[in-house]
Amino acid sequence: QVQLVESGGGLVQPGGSLRLSCAASRSIFSFNAMGWYRQAPGKQRDAVATISSGGSTNYADSVKGRFTISRDAAKNTVYLQMNSLKPEDTAVYYCNARQRSITTVNDYWGQGTQVTVSS
């Protein structure tokens, strides 16, 4: 059973910063990729940033240059540094871990952490 525990959300003013953390219950290198997704009210859940086991990163166009995904293997933790936050970044942010085999794809999710950007 994989557990992903997020932390670091909260209320921040526009232009501010937050750092989200996702602690995994086992080695992050046991997954093909990890990432952060977000879901605003009434909208679908979209990818924000991902990092592969090899270290390759991808970002949604809307967060490029403002958000940075990183990891600490010793702590089995993935981070999302969010700078220059905008009201449209308001959402529940979910940590994801993906594990692929030849025949299956397993997605694991955290419980989500609320990020609210408002003055």
Side-chain angles (χ1 to χ4, degrees):
Q1 184 74 11
V2 175
Q3 289 187 324
L4 303 173
V5 180
E6 300 116 332
S7 61
L11 173 64
V12 63
Q13 292 186 342
S17 298
L18 283 174
R19 189 177 79 156
L20 306 182
S21 299
C22 171
S25 58
R26 69 187 199 204
S27 171
I28 59 176
F29 291 117
S30 67
F31 306 110
N32 297 97
M34 295 190 71
W36 290 94
Y37 291 66
R38 68 186 180 187
Q39 187 168 20
K43 296 190 176 181
Q44 67 181 20
R45 188 176 298 186
D46 292 323
V48 175
T50 60
I51 184 166
S52 72
S53 56
S56 299
T57 58
N58 281 288
Y59 296 93
D61 288 342
S62 59
V63 306
K64 283 180 180 177
R66 299 188 298 123
F67 291 11
T68 302
I69 189 170
S70 63
R71 62 190 179 186
D72 185 334
K75 297 181 179 179
N76 291 333
T77 299
V78 174
Y79 303 98
L80 184 68
Q81 179 67 44
M82 304 185 294
N83 299 328
S84 302
L85 282 160
K86 304 175 181 180
E88 51 263 44
D89 294 318
T90 295
V92 178
Y93 284 70
Y94 296 92
C95 180
N96 168 268
R98 176 163 291 179
Q99 190 171 38
R100 295 190 189 93
S101 68
I102 295 175
T103 57
T104 61
V105 176
N106 290 316
D107 277 312
Y108 304 97
W109 296 95
Q111 80 283 0
T113 186
Q114 177 70 46
V115 172
T116 302
V117 184
S118 175
S119 55

